[in-house]
Amino acid sequence: MPGRDRMNVTMQDVARHAGVSPQTVSNVVNGRSARVGDETRVRVIESITQLGYRLNQSARSLRRGRTGMVGLAIPTFDSEYYGALAQALNDRFAERGLRLVTENTGGAVRAEVESLASSHLDSYDGFVLALAAGDTPHFDRISIDKPVVLLGERALSSRFDHVLMDNEGGARLATRLLLKTGARAIVALGGVHDDEESMPGLRTRGYAEAHAEIGRDLDPALVLPSTFDAEGGHGSIRALIASGRRFDAVFAVTDGLAVGALRALADAGLRVPEDVQVVGFDNTTASRYTVPRLTTVEPSNEARAETVAELLVSRLQHRDGVLERRVVVHPASVVERESTRRAPSA
Amino acid sequence: MPGRDRMNVTMQDVARHAGVSPQTVSNVVNGRSARVGDETRVRVIESITQLGYRLNQSARSLRRGRTGMVGLAIPTFDSEYYGALAQALNDRFAERGLRLVTENTGGAVRAEVESLASSHLDSYDGFVLALAAGDTPHFDRISIDKPVVLLGERALSSRFDHVLMDNEGGARLATRLLLKTGARAIVALGGVHDDEESMPGLRTRGYAEAHAEIGRDLDPALVLPSTFDAEGGHGSIRALIASGRRFDAVFAVTDGLAVGALRALADAGLRVPEDVQVVGFDNTTASRYTVPRLTTVEPSNEARAETVAELLVSRLQHRDGVLERRVVVHPASVVERESTRRAPSA
DNA sequence: GCTCGGGAGTTTATCGATCAACTCTGCATC
DNA sequence: GATGCAGAGTTGATCGATAAACTCCCGAGC
């Protein structure tokens, strides 16, 4: 291996080697074939490979004024739900020639919002913010001049495009199923008591609506706030069982919670779905391999990812044109598996 | 809101506004306080906030010759194991002032690395390559002038630093445990028949060694190659049961496989660990919430992440100094839960 | 009185690619 | 013969930040 310099090979070097101008090399690299003759192009390409030339992205970005990267903020990498989401978005953006760069915000909403303000953001052309369940960040304080799409549970800010999941509708469907199959006392695991515009708030609202539809009263003691992981679900259900309160179904606001619930029910010797039915939310791959397999709400991640990419790209293209703010809600549906009983065919 | 230009605020603008030179603004921004007087600094900072100045990362990167980003290639986002790994690495690099950018290669590392002038890799200062089980890219063909650390299962290339998991040792420990608790016919789920230097190959080797240690023969029919997810585990074990072959333990080469195995055993009415013991590998969070809770091998992700960051950073610092290639192996250990019986206290 | 040193800044020359505008052949058209 | 024009390139001016070298001032030391 010939000892070579630390210096990088630049377009100038290639140009010199091929006997053309740097601009022509640029044209070749960027596929502007209309501006370059066939012979010249071949010569340039040969020089590129011979010299081992690599384009300097920083220089390109500086000149072009954009980086070709889109940022994605997710609360954590270490979660199937967000993992799948990131993967789907990644593919959708790749199709459009954009690179998706994923950052984890560590779950704190504050970090999520700060990621909008921090210097990281400066290297992206646009940003996708997937929000964790929780409180409401103060978007209206921060100032941003780049396209942002929020991917979340509810409308959070009047300034950005949103792609939302139909939390309320999904929860309504899930709860309806439980009621139809004879449940009388349904726990809202991870639910909240205030009627708030948050992920658990909306899902709790759907749960309440399904009850209201058939004139059934709600027992507030069955609404169990919790963290949204398996650990929280496990602890909450164990405590509920220990308290002696009777229930015959669990609507868990996330699959993680449902997994923990299954665990706690198994610990207590309760059979699913005979003694207690369980429904989750999110249709994570884990939900297909629990014992018993989990009935859950499908959040249509693929479709949402596609919409997110579409919205963001259209904003990038109409950089200056004043597009109206858009809010897209994707419908949810229920996937019936083994943790619920079959609805009586009526 | 005052109508403002599309033009960005630059250091020049700040300099003009504060009545100093651009270089001084640069010094302030970069905290070179030795070169700037107190009063001046205050004035500059005021101008920065007033004008809403943001540093242009592309320009900085171009000038500095590095981007401050480290790339991480993982086979897929949609997996707990890689999710946790990415998260851990992310934190370790953040501590060191580097931004970790995660890409999923979809397994096709080779294509990425070989792509011509427009490769993503060029925007990173260094690279961490976490390889999928089956990948054997031809590293020695590609030429890379940046620090690379391979995070994997076995030594793959003589050119790069490696941080390895002790696959063989972990598998040996897991299998020993099964043998000690009385297992007589242990399935190697996801194992392979050839003694190869791959993740499943090494884990199968450890499995074989544990048998050899106590002079036990191996039954090749119990080694079941498979994909490494729950689906594969489920299918393989279901088929094995259907074939009528007897076994009383499963050593799954991944937790995903073990989850699928549990599912298949439950389907068949077999009790775990009474009828069949199960051990997984990777200690994913899912393994803590299966029914029953999974005994598994802890791969020491945190420690490996720390080592990866250390190695890469030290290479970045000694950009030219010729460091020896380093290979670090982290030991594995077994986490005993409910899917195995207690070893007789001898 | 003169040199020396360091604090506080400034000036200059890039980093590498790209946009915009310009040149220079030919060849077809009126 | 003059005009127009498309094709194939070239030239020069940046994009914004920064390393390196240089200036200027002021008090200390001999």
Side-chain angles (χ1 to χ4, degrees):
Chain A
M1 213 176 291
R4 70 184 123 80
D5 274 318
R6 253 261 134 268
M7 280 311 310
N8 290 319
V9 181
T10 97
M11 266 189 182
Q12 299 254 25
D13 300 333
V14 176
R16 216 172 350 248
H17 188 268
V20 297
S21 75
Q23 181 61 41
T24 297
V25 178
S26 171
N27 287 333
V28 170
V29 168
N30 291 287
R32 284 187 262 275
S33 32
R35 320 213 125 270
V36 186
D38 284 349
E39 271 181 51
T40 312
R41 188 191 17 268
V42 171
R43 214 166 60 247
V44 168
I45 289 176
E46 230 158 62
S47 298
I48 285 178
T49 46
Q50 269 183 45
L51 300 181
Y53 164 74
R54 327 233 71 205
L55 191 150
N56 182 320
Q57 294 287 350
S58 301
R60 165 180 280 183
S61 301
L62 172 59
R63 188 65 247 252
R64 285 194 173 165
R66 60 203 152 77
T67 60
M69 301 198 295
V70 172
L72 167 65
I74 56 176
T76 170
F77 279 141
D78 187 3
S79 133
E80 256 192 65
Y81 172 72
Y82 287 106
L85 204 55
Q87 176 89 55
L89 283 166
N90 197 65
D91 296 347
R92 292 295 138 297
F93 278 106
E95 283 169 3
R96 294 168 167 81
L98 288 166
R99 186 138 69 105
L100 186 75
V101 170
T102 308
E103 316 218 341
N104 70 325
T105 59
V109 174
R110 217 181 121 238
E112 282 165 4
V113 173
E114 265 171 15
S115 70
L116 285 182
S118 89
S119 60
H120 284 189
L121 178 73
D122 295 329
S123 35
Y124 304 126
D125 295 342
F127 211 74
V128 179
L129 200 47
L131 293 160
D135 26 19
T136 310
H138 302 284
F139 287 107
D140 302 297
R141 291 221 190 119
I142 59 177
S143 82
I144 289 216
D145 51 350
K146 304 192 186 193
V148 172
V149 175
L150 294 188
L151 176 51
E153 317 289 346
R154 78 280 195 198
L156 272 163
S157 155
S158 51
R159 298 173 55 204
F160 305 122
D161 289 342
H162 281 66
V163 175
L164 303 174
M165 188 195 306
D166 188 7
N167 281 305
E168 211 173 315
R172 209 184 306 123
L173 287 176
T175 311
R176 258 189 215 149
L177 173 64
L178 293 173
L179 290 169
K180 221 181 298 177
T181 52
R184 313 232 87 217
I186 308 175
V187 174
L189 180 57
V192 295
H193 290 103
D194 302 327
D195 182 45
E196 55 184 59
E197 293 284 323
S198 63
M199 178 276 273
L202 291 168
R203 294 185 184 177
T204 307
R205 191 186 292 170
Y207 159 85
E209 286 166 358
H211 283 77
E213 284 171 357
I214 59 166
R216 188 77 65 81
D217 279 342
L218 277 186
D219 180 353
L222 292 178
V223 175
L224 302 182
S226 166
T227 57
F228 302 108
D229 54 7
E231 209 155 339
H234 182 243
S236 301
I237 293 297
R238 187 178 48 190
L240 184 67
I241 292 171
S243 80
R245 179 165 296 268
R246 297 321 203 92
F247 61 98
D248 57 3
V250 174
F251 163 57
V253 304
T254 70
D255 277 358
L257 280 169
V259 168
L262 288 179
R263 179 64 239 164
L265 292 168
D267 284 349
L270 291 165
R271 290 164 311 160
V272 177
E274 292 82 356
D275 301 325
V276 178
Q277 300 191 76
V278 177
V279 180
F281 205 121
D282 290 342
N283 195 16
T284 56
T285 65
S287 71
R288 288 203 293 278
Y289 294 99
T290 53
V291 179
R293 284 179 254 264
L294 194 61
T295 293
T296 186
V297 178
E298 161 64 40
S300 57
N301 280 339
E302 292 293 332
R304 289 195 298 151
E306 175 66 23
T307 305
V308 167
E310 259 170 38
L311 289 185
L312 194 61
V313 167
S314 84
R315 282 224 182 261
L316 286 172
Q317 278 162 356
H318 308 206
R319 204 56 216 233
D320 296 306
V322 186
L323 295 178
E324 271 196 8
R325 166 170 171 269
R326 289 156 300 179
V327 175
V328 180
V329 178
H330 280 271
S333 59
V334 171
V335 182
E336 284 188 60
R337 297 211 186 90
E338 300 167 351
S339 65
T340 47
R341 295 192 287 269
R342 306 308 291 176
S345 56
Chain B
M1 213 176 290
R4 72 184 120 82
D5 273 319
R6 259 258 136 266
M7 278 312 307
N8 290 320
V9 182
T10 96
M11 266 189 182
Q12 298 254 25
D13 300 332
V14 175
R16 217 174 345 250
H17 188 267
V20 298
S21 76
Q23 181 61 40
T24 297
V25 178
S26 171
N27 287 333
V28 171
V29 167
N30 290 287
R32 283 186 263 274
S33 33
R35 321 213 127 268
V36 186
D38 284 348
E39 272 181 51
T40 312
R41 190 195 11 272
V42 171
R43 214 166 60 248
V44 168
I45 289 177
E46 231 157 62
S47 298
I48 286 178
T49 46
Q50 270 183 46
L51 300 181
Y53 165 75
R54 325 233 68 205
L55 191 148
N56 182 320
Q57 293 288 350
S58 302
R60 165 181 281 183
S61 301
L62 173 59
R63 187 65 246 248
R64 285 193 172 166
R66 60 201 152 78
T67 60
M69 302 197 296
V70 172
L72 167 65
I74 55 175
T76 169
F77 279 143
D78 188 3
S79 134
E80 249 192 74
Y81 171 72
Y82 287 107
L85 204 54
Q87 175 92 53
L89 284 165
N90 198 64
D91 297 346
R92 291 294 131 318
F93 278 106
E95 282 169 4
R96 293 168 167 80
L98 288 167
R99 187 137 68 104
L100 185 75
V101 171
T102 308
E103 317 219 339
N104 70 326
T105 59
V109 180
R110 223 185 123 214
E112 281 298 329
V113 168
E114 282 178 0
S115 97
L116 189 61
S118 62
S119 172
H120 291 178
L121 300 185
D122 294 328
S123 38
Y124 304 126
D125 294 343
F127 212 75
V128 180
L129 214 42
L131 294 161
D135 266 345
T136 312
H138 301 283
F139 289 107
D140 303 296
R141 290 221 193 121
I142 60 175
S143 83
I144 292 206
D145 50 351
K146 303 187 188 198
V148 172
V149 175
L150 294 188
L151 176 51
E153 316 289 345
R154 79 281 195 195
L156 271 163
S157 154
S158 51
R159 298 171 56 203
F160 305 122
D161 289 343
H162 281 64
V163 176
L164 303 174
M165 186 195 307
D166 188 6
N167 282 304
E168 212 171 314
R172 209 184 307 122
L173 287 176
T175 310
R176 259 191 213 147
L177 173 64
L178 293 173
L179 291 169
K180 220 181 299 177
T181 51
R184 312 234 86 217
I186 306 176
V187 174
L189 181 56
V192 294
H193 291 103
D194 303 328
D195 182 44
E196 55 184 59
E197 293 284 322
S198 63
M199 178 276 274
L202 291 167
R203 294 185 185 176
T204 307
R205 192 186 292 169
Y207 159 86
E209 286 166 0
H211 282 77
E213 284 171 358
I214 59 165
R216 187 78 64 83
D217 279 342
L218 276 185
D219 179 354
L222 291 179
V223 176
L224 301 182
S226 167
T227 57
F228 302 108
D229 53 8
E231 208 155 339
H234 182 243
S236 302
I237 294 297
R238 188 178 46 190
L240 185 67
I241 292 171
S243 79
R245 179 167 296 268
R246 298 320 204 91
F247 63 98
D248 58 3
V250 175
F251 163 57
V253 304
T254 71
D255 277 358
L257 281 169
V259 168
L262 288 179
R263 178 65 239 166
L265 292 168
D267 284 348
L270 291 166
R271 289 165 311 160
V272 177
E274 293 82 358
D275 302 325
V276 178
Q277 300 191 76
V278 178
V279 179
F281 206 121
D282 289 342
N283 195 15
T284 56
T285 64
S287 70
R288 287 203 293 279
Y289 294 99
T290 52
V291 180
R293 285 178 254 263
L294 193 61
T295 293
T296 187
V297 178
E298 162 64 41
S300 57
N301 279 339
E302 293 293 331
R304 289 194 299 151
E306 174 67 22
T307 306
V308 167
E310 257 170 40
L311 289 185
L312 194 60
V313 166
S314 85
R315 282 226 181 259
L316 285 171
Q317 278 161 357
H318 308 201
R319 202 59 214 230
D320 296 305
V322 187
L323 295 178
E324 271 196 8
R325 165 169 170 270
R326 289 156 301 180
V327 175
V328 180
V329 178
H330 281 270
S333 59
V334 170
V335 183
E336 285 188 58
R337 297 211 186 91
E338 300 168 351
S339 64
T340 48
R341 297 192 288 268
R342 308 306 292 175
S345 53

